[in-house]
Amino acid sequence: MAYYVLLSNFTDQGIKSIKDTQKRAEAFKAMASKSGIKVHTLLWTLGQHDVVAIAEADDDIAATALALSIASQGNIRTQTLRAFDTADMTKIMAKMA
């Protein structure tokens, strides 16, 4: 499984219906679960991004499909970052020339 950080910002549509943000978050978690993706954390944030999620998926294709599915609803725009834990970094360092 691979880790992903999803950085999200509300669109105009999303901010107009901000009172539904918690319902949308639960729907996102359910959508992820159905796709075999585990959402470890979902946080509303101050600063450059409005919502940050940490998820674990089988691969980039699954993570990208989830990000596109949620963004296609029109409430957020997302940026997805592939993240590496300590075990991954150990493997990466071992392959360095």
Side-chain angles (χ1 to χ4, degrees), residues 73-91:
Q73 295 177 0
N75 295 303
I76 60 168
R77 289 187 183 87
T78 63
Q79 180 180 5
T80 305
L81 308 173
R82 173 68 165 86
F84 303 93
D85 63 10
T86 300
D88 291 334
M89 284 307 295
T90 299
K91 292 175 189 173

Side-chain angles (χ1 to χ4, degrees), residues 2 9 15 18-19 25 34-35 41 43 50 54 57-59 62 64-65 75 79 81 86 89 92:
N9 291 90
I15 205 69
I18 193 65
K19 290 185 179 183
K34 285 182 184 178
S35 299
T41 305
L43 302 165
D50 298 316
I54 309 287
D58 285 333
D59 54 37
T64 302
N75 295 303
Q79 180 180 5
L81 308 173
T86 300
M89 284 307 295
I92 291 166

Side-chain angles (χ1 to χ4, degrees), residues 1-6 28 32-33 35-40 54-67 80-83 88:
M1 296 285 271
Y3 290 98
Y4 298 87
V5 177
L6 291 90
F28 167 73
S33 181
S35 299
I37 297 171
K38 181 179 180 181
V39 177
H40 289 280
I54 309 287
E56 194 173 357
D58 285 333
D59 54 37
D60 292 348
I61 292 172
T64 302
L66 177 63
T80 305
L81 308 173
R82 173 68 165 86
D88 291 334

